[in-house]
Amino acid sequence: MRELSRDVDVLLVVGATNSSNSNRLREIGSESGVASYLVADGS
């Protein structure tokens, strides 16, 4: 995720809000300076 964050402007993580893995991916993106969002589903 850290490597990917270097190449994107926005990071959308699709996952449950109670998922520690999904939340961690969003946190890594934010820590890398990328606008990062956790969304519940693809719709």
Side-chain angles (χ1 to χ4, degrees):
M1 186 55 60
R2 287 181 181 88
E3 188 174 323
L4 177 64
S5 294
R6 296 181 206 143
D7 298 327
V8 299
D9 297 320
V10 176
L11 177 64
L12 299 177
V13 178
V14 180
T17 56
N18 63 345
S19 167
S20 59
N21 289 332
S22 297
N23 281 300
R24 185 63 185 137
L25 290 173
R26 187 198 52 77
E27 288 171 6
I28 291 170
S30 293
E31 291 168 359
S32 299
V34 176
S36 302
Y37 305 95
L38 178 60
V39 294
D41 58 47
S43 62

